[in-house]
Amino acid sequence: MAENERLRLAIIIGSIRKGRFGHVAAEWLASRARLRPDFDVDVIDLATAWLPDVMSADPMAPRPQAVKDLAPWLEAADAFVVVTPEYNQTFPASLKNAIDWYDEEWHAKPVGFLSYGGASSGLCAVAALRQVFGEVHAVPVNETVSFHNYWERLGPDGTLAACDDWHVSARLMFDRLSWWAGVLHRARAERGYPVPQTNRQDNAPWTASGSDVSAIPSPTLSN
């Protein structure tokens, strides 16, 4: 890529719960990213992506339309930031579902995190996500933005009063994502990113991450 070519950053809102804080955090983060000269920014809200929550074990099954619709946005991204709360010391099921629907769209791309919560600031969710994204051949970065007791910084009108530490953390994360995104963009363009064909079938129209293909026939219902 050219030295002055901008990178595409996708910010993914992981929670789909009613009344969630995720969209407030994501818009704050996007506003910071849009001030930079190195990023074009997309915000992807899983609550409006309508990804199915049931996945076929048949690798020949057609890709659902909602999955097809989101795929180009993920494929076009050079880097991701995942905005996540913490539920029971991990991340939302909606986020795991979204990760598992895709495969090559994540490969060799850096991933940062913005987490929010109470005492843990959502960092248990981030620790779990690092393992998951490593498994789909993404590159989690160390720098993270975390909001401790975020509700204390919400005004009556729902606006967020960010503190200086958040701005510093966001800048450091963006700097790291930009470095990795540029390096990996060039590497993908020059060399591609081959991965072992584990859990894949060459004739399948698509393969979700970790497809569970079994020789055991599915049970049928009878009267």
Side-chain angles (χ1 to χ4, degrees):
M1 62 186 297
E3 185 176 346
N4 60 349
E5 186 177 348
R6 291 166 69 87
L7 299 158
R8 183 158 294 279
L9 174 68
I11 297 174
I12 301 174
I13 305 173
S15 174
I16 62 173
R17 286 189 180 183
K18 185 177 181 180
R20 68 217 162 113
F21 171 74
H23 67 287
V24 177
E27 288 301 333
W28 173 83
L29 192 68
S31 71
R32 306 304 302 172
R34 291 179 180 124
L35 296 175
R36 297 175 59 98
D38 47 356
F39 288 133
D40 289 321
V41 182
D42 296 317
V43 177
I44 297 172
D45 188 349
L46 295 184
T48 58
W50 303 110
L51 297 175
D53 57 8
V54 176
M55 186 180 299
S56 175
D58 179 4
M60 297 303 294
R63 209 174 204 189
Q65 188 59 49
V67 177
K68 291 181 183 178
D69 291 343
L70 182 56
W73 296 88
L74 300 179
E75 184 177 358
D78 295 299
F80 303 98
V81 177
V82 174
V83 177
T84 182
E86 182 178 312
Y87 300 154
N88 297 323
Q89 294 196 319
T90 191
F91 55 91
S94 54
L95 190 47
K96 184 62 163 65
N97 184 53
I99 296 168
D100 286 351
W101 272 116
Y102 300 96
D103 191 16
E104 294 179 0
E105 290 84 353
W106 306 119
H107 288 178
K109 297 178 182 180
V111 184
F113 304 97
L114 186 159
S115 65
Y116 56 92
S120 72
S121 307
L123 292 175
C124 292
V126 171
L129 281 166
R130 290 187 189 282
Q131 292 182 315
V132 173
F133 274 106
E135 192 66 21
V136 295
H137 297 264
V139 182
V141 301
N142 286 339
E143 291 76 7
T144 300
V145 182
S146 58
F147 292 174
H148 175 72
N149 293 347
Y150 63 89
W151 53 85
E152 295 177 354
R153 293 209 164 252
L154 276 177
D157 59 352
T159 57
L160 186 65
C163 64
D164 291 342
D165 287 348
W166 296 357
H167 292 295
V168 172
S169 295
R171 176 178 58 80
L172 293 174
M173 182 179 67
F174 288 146
D175 287 347
R176 188 69 70 198
L177 285 170
S178 181
W179 190 92
W180 274 109
V183 169
L184 292 172
H185 180 104
R186 289 188 291 271
R188 292 195 309 273
E190 294 170 5
R191 303 171 57 186
Y193 187 75
V195 295
Q197 295 300 302
T198 304
N199 290 334
R200 288 167 171 262
Q201 291 188 11
D202 292 337
N203 295 327
W206 68 282
T207 305
S209 302
S211 292
D212 180 14
V213 181
S214 173
I216 302 174
S218 299
T220 56
L221 299 177
S222 58
N223 293 331

